[in-house]
Amino acid sequence: MPLDEEVKEIKGIQERKKEREAYMSSRGRKKAAMQRMLQQLRTATNSSAMNKASIIVDATKYMEELKQKVEGINSELGTVGSSSSTSQDELPMVTVETLERGFLINVFSERNCPGMLVAILEAFEELGLDVLDARVSCEDNFQLEAVGGEGQDQKESIDAQVVKQAVLQAINNMN
């Protein structure tokens, strides 16, 4: 066999050896990474299993337990929410602050009822309040922020509590 062919054959053998080593090295890294992930899964699920299939079964059981706990908590929250929602969530949250010349009125309700804005504005009119500035959102919930000033023909001063009660009464009468 000529020398050139022997050199080529040796180089070919060396290249195949490097390829095998690289493959084995890559395979070793993948195996080590898999072992680390399985160890993390064992730790997270408090599993004592040693083989991959058992660890996965334990993890599945653990996830089912967590799912049942979440459903239990959600049902408890739903029960608590439904019992208290009949009285408190029916009425919106109303705050009235006294300003130098008038009131800042905020109304917030989780649900939007048709006619709520009209009922509130009619209450303002009955009190003799002029709406000087307002922001209203009626998309998913109802939100009103209004600045109301006492009208020119108003003889006596209005209290913030009176405004709040009038708004709440208007909303109650609307239902």
Side-chain angles (χ1 to χ4, degrees), residues 125-144:
E125 191 175 320
E126 288 173 14
L127 291 172
L129 290 177
D130 295 330
V131 178
L132 305 174
D133 189 24
R135 249 179 290 186
V136 181
S137 172
C138 302
E139 224 168 285
D140 295 328
N141 51 30
F142 180 86
Q143 192 167 0
L144 166 72

Side-chain angles (χ1 to χ4, degrees), residues 127 150-151 153-159:
L127 291 172
E150 295 181 37
D153 55 328
Q154 191 75 18
K155 293 180 180 115
E156 56 185 66
S157 181
I158 303 172
D159 183 44

Side-chain angles (χ1 to χ4, degrees), residues 28-156:
R29 284 193 302 272
K30 288 179 185 176
K31 188 174 181 178
M34 176 63 85
Q35 290 300 322
R36 279 192 307 273
M37 287 192 291
L38 288 174
Q39 182 58 42
Q40 288 174 343
L41 194 55
R42 256 194 308 268
T43 302
T45 61
N46 297 322
S47 174
S48 59
M50 294 307 291
N51 66 13
K52 186 176 169 181
S54 298
I55 294 169
I56 292 173
V57 167
D58 287 348
T60 304
K61 289 178 183 175
Y62 181 72
M63 289 177 7
E64 283 298 319
E65 289 172 13
L66 290 177
K67 185 178 174 184
Q68 288 175 350
K69 286 180 183 178
V70 168
E71 288 172 354
I73 290 170
N74 283 339
S75 69
E76 283 179 26
L77 290 175
T79 305
V80 170
S82 65
S83 65
S84 66
S85 68
T86 54
S87 61
Q88 285 192 326
D89 289 345
E90 294 294 321
L91 289 178
M93 184 176 76
V94 178
T95 60
V96 179
E97 295 177 36
T98 304
L99 302 175
E100 189 176 316
R101 294 183 177 237
F103 303 96
L104 174 62
I105 301 118
N106 287 297
V107 180
F108 178 79
S109 175
E110 286 293 328
R111 59 187 180 93
N112 181 21
C113 297
M116 188 179 294
L117 178 61
V118 173
I120 293 170
L121 292 176
E122 286 174 348
F124 289 174
E125 191 175 320
E126 288 173 14
L127 291 172
L129 290 177
D130 295 330
V131 178
L132 305 174
D133 189 24
R135 249 179 290 186
V136 181
S137 172
C138 302
E139 224 168 285
D140 295 328
N141 51 30
F142 180 86
Q143 192 167 0
L144 166 72
E145 180 181 86
V147 176
E150 295 181 37
Q152 298 293 347
D153 55 328
Q154 191 75 18
K155 293 180 180 115
E156 56 185 66

